[in-house]
C-alpha cells in the first residue's frame, strides 16, 4: 500500500496537470493508465462545475471544464472503467482521431527527461493516443525520478509481442545485448499476462540506458525486431530555447508537444516540478 506522502505526491502531480493545462476550450481528452491517473479523473470531476480553480495563485482566471461537453478517450481497460464508472462521456480513437490533450503516467523519468512507460501493459494504446494528441502530458511522483533509465525501474523495458513470435523475439533480444528477460506472468491466473490487444509482454533488462545504449538507440533496435508490437520508451529530442523549467514540490510534470521529426517526438516544452 502506498504511503500517505506518496499518495499525496501523486495527487499533487495529477491536480497540477489538470489545473494548469485543461480549460474551458478542452473538449477531447485522452486518459492514460496507472495509479496517478486515478487522481487525474478525481480532479477533472472536481473541476467540472467550477468557475475558478481554488487555491491557484498563478492563474486566478482559470476556468472550469464543461465536463458534460467533453469526450474522454481511454488507453486501457482500467482507464475505460474510470471514465464509465464516473459517468463521463466515453469516446474512441476511431471517432476522434485528433485529441486536444492526453494525460498519462510513467514508470521512470531520468534527468534528461527520457521516460520508460508500459509497466501496466498498455503499450500500444497509450502510444496511439499520445501520438494523435496536440499536447501530451506525463505526470509522475518524485519516486520515479532517476539519473539514467534503468536505475530505479529494474524490471526491464516492457515490450509487447505477438504470442506466436515471443520465442523469436526473446532470441533476438539476447543478440541485442539484453542482460535478462522474462515473459511477464499473470498473478491471478495461470500463464502469461495478456494485454488488452491479446498479446504477451517481455520485460527486457538492458542495464542503465546510457553510453551507446541510449534510450533512442535501444528503441530503434527493438522496434525493428519481427514480432514486436510496441515498446514505450519516450525520449526527449532536440530541446530548444523554448524549454521551460519551473520548481515546485516533490512531483514531476512533463509536457510534450506532439511535433514529429521523422518517427521521433520533439520535446518542445517541458515543465518540471521538484
Amino acid at each position: 500500500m502506498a504511503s500517505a506522502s506518496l499518495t499525496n505526491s501523486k495527487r499533487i502531480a495529477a491536480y497540477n496537470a489538470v489545473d494548469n493545462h485543461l480549460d474551458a476550450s478542452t473538449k477531447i481528452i485522452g486518459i492514460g493508465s496507472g495509479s496517478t491517473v486515478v487522481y487525474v479523473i478525481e480532479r477533472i470531476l472536481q473541476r467540472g462545475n467550477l468557475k475558478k480553480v481554488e487555491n491557484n495563485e498563478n492563474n486566478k482566471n482559470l476556468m472550469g471544464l464543461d465536463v458534460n461537453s467533453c469526450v474522454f478517450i481511454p488507453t486501457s481497460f482500467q482507464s475505460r472503467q474510470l471514465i464509465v464508472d464516473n459517468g463521463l462521456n466515453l469516446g474512441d480513437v476511431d471517432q476522434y482521431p485528433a485529441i486536444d490533450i492526453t494525460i498519462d503516467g510513467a514508470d521512470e523519468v531520468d534527468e534528461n527527461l527520457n521516460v520508460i512507460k508500459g509497466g501496466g501493459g498498455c503499450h500500444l494504446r497509450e502510444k496511439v493516443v499520445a501520438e494523435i494528441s496536440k499536447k501530451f502530458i506525463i505526470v509522475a511522483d518524485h519516486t520515479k525520478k532517476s539519473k539514467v533509465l534503468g536505475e530505479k525501474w529494474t524490471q526491464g523495458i516492457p515490450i509487447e509481442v505477438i504470442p506466436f513470435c515471443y520465442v523469436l523475439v526473446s532470441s533476438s533480444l539476447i543478440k541485442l545485448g539484453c542482460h535478462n528477460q522474462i515473459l511477464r506472468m499473470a498473478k491471478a491466473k495461470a500463464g502469461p499476462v495478456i494485454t488488452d490487444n491479446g498479446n504477451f509482454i517481455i520485460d527486457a533488462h538492458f542495464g542503465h540506458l546510457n553510453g551507446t545504449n541510449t534510450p533512442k538507440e535501444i528503441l530503434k533496435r527493438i522496434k525493428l525486431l519481427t514480432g514486436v508490437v510496441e515498446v514505450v520508451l519516450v525520449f526527449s529530442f532536440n530541446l530548444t530555447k523554448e524549454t521551460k523549467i519551473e520548481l515546485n514540490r516533490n512531483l514531476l510534470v512533463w509536457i510534450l508537444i506532439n511535433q514529429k521529426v521523422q518517427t521521433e517526438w520533439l520535446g518542445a516544452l517541458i515543465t518540471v516540478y521538484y
Side-chain angles (χ1 to χ4, degrees), residues 50-69:
L50 297 179
K51 295 300 181 184
K52 290 184 179 180
V53 174
E54 64 274 21
N55 301 322
N56 192 320
E57 297 298 328
N58 295 325
N59 194 340
K60 293 286 188 181
N61 298 316
L62 192 60
M63 301 299 290
L65 291 170
D66 181 5
V67 170
N68 291 330
S69 68

Side-chain angles (χ1 to χ4, degrees), residues 79-99:
S79 55
R80 184 185 188 279
Q81 290 305 110
L82 282 172
I83 293 167
V84 172
D85 290 348
N86 286 285
L88 300 173
N89 297 320
L90 178 67
D92 187 81
V93 293
D94 292 336
Q95 299 169 289
Y96 302 95
I99 296 174

Side-chain angles (χ1 to χ4, degrees), residues 10 31-40 75-76 78-79 82 104-107 117 120 122 126 144:
K10 292 176 183 288
I31 300 296
S33 306
S35 58
T36 307
V37 173
V38 173
Y39 302 113
V40 171
T75 58
S76 66
Q78 178 217 14
S79 55
L82 282 172
D104 206 344
D107 296 308
K117 289 179 50 56
C122 309
E126 286 180 339
K144 306 297 178 66

Side-chain angles (χ1 to χ4, degrees), residues 115-126:
V115 176
I116 286 181
K117 289 179 50 56
C122 309
H123 300 55
L124 182 60
R125 299 188 186 199
E126 286 180 339

Side-chain angles (χ1 to χ4, degrees), residues 123-124 127 131 158-161 219 223 228-232:
H123 300 55
L124 182 60
K127 205 159 189 179
E131 288 199 11
I159 306 169
E160 185 169 354
V161 301
L219 174 63
K223 286 279 286 183
V228 169
V229 176
E230 193 54 82
V231 50
V232 187

Side-chain angles (χ1 to χ4, degrees), residues 13-273:
Y15 278 30
N16 270 271
V18 173
D19 288 354
N20 291 326
H21 305 290
L22 272 65
D23 56 31
S25 67
T26 310
K27 299 301 180 184
I28 313 300
I29 303 169
I31 300 296
S33 306
S35 58
T36 307
V37 173
V38 173
Y39 302 113
V40 171
I41 292 291
E42 180 179 271
R43 189 55 171 171
I44 286 173
L45 292 170
Q46 292 175 5
R47 283 276 310 274
N49 297 315
L50 297 179
K51 295 300 181 184
K52 290 184 179 180
V53 174
E54 64 274 21
N55 301 322
N56 192 320
E57 297 298 328
N58 295 325
N59 194 340
K60 293 286 188 181
N61 298 316
L62 192 60
M63 301 299 290
L65 291 170
D66 181 5
V67 170
N68 291 330
S69 68
C70 292
V71 177
F72 297 85
I73 313 299
T75 58
S76 66
F77 181 83
Q78 178 217 14
S79 55
R80 184 185 188 279
Q81 290 305 110
L82 282 172
I83 293 167
V84 172
D85 290 348
N86 286 285
L88 300 173
N89 297 320
L90 178 67
D92 187 81
V93 293
D94 292 336
Q95 299 169 289
Y96 302 95
I99 296 174
D100 293 325
I101 187 169
T102 291
I103 304 179
D104 206 344
D107 296 308
E108 186 177 28
V109 184
D110 72 14
E111 60 186 11
N112 293 314
L113 299 179
N114 299 303
V115 176
I116 286 181
K117 289 179 50 56
C122 309
H123 300 55
L124 182 60
R125 299 188 186 199
E126 286 180 339
K127 205 159 189 179
V128 168
V129 171
E131 288 199 11
I132 63 174
S133 298
K134 297 174 185 175
K135 184 181 287 187
F136 179 44
I137 298 180
I138 288 178
V139 294
D141 63 81
H142 61 284
T143 65
K144 306 297 178 66
K145 181 186 175 185
S146 65
K147 290 185 177 180
V148 296
L149 295 185
E151 178 187 3
K152 289 185 177 179
W153 182 256
T154 58
Q155 293 92 321
I157 300 170
I159 306 169
E160 185 169 354
V161 301
I162 296 171
F164 174 73
C165 301
Y166 90 89
V167 174
L168 172 62
V169 173
S170 180
S171 298
S172 299
L173 288 170
I174 294 173
K175 295 176 182 177
L176 290 183
C178 178
H179 300 167
N180 185 32
Q181 58 178 286
I182 60 169
L183 179 65
R184 190 184 298 182
M185 304 303 289
K187 293 183 179 180
K189 66 174 280 290
V193 167
I194 305 297
T195 70
D196 290 348
N197 308 303
N199 297 313
F200 291 171
I201 296 175
I202 292 176
D203 292 305
H205 197 277
F206 284 85
H208 291 180
L209 299 188
N210 54 12
T212 57
N213 277 346
T214 64
K216 178 179 176 181
E217 289 303 316
I218 288 293
L219 174 63
K220 285 182 177 179
R221 295 172 197 164
I222 296 175
K223 286 279 286 183
L224 287 173
L225 299 179
T226 301
V228 169
V229 176
E230 193 54 82
V231 50
V232 187
L233 272 176
V234 182
F235 50 87
S236 55
F237 184 75
N238 285 350
L239 299 180
T240 70
K241 63 182 181 181
E242 297 173 0
T243 298
K244 175 184 177 185
I245 296 179
E246 299 175 0
L247 298 180
N248 199 336
R249 302 179 64 180
N250 288 333
L251 55 100
L252 177 134
V253 178
W254 180 20
I255 304 170
L256 180 60
I257 303 298
N258 188 29
Q259 294 177 288
K260 300 297 289 296
V261 179
Q262 296 178 350
T263 60
E264 299 162 346
W265 288 341
L266 169 63
L269 174 62
I270 294 177
T271 304
V272 180
Y273 301 82

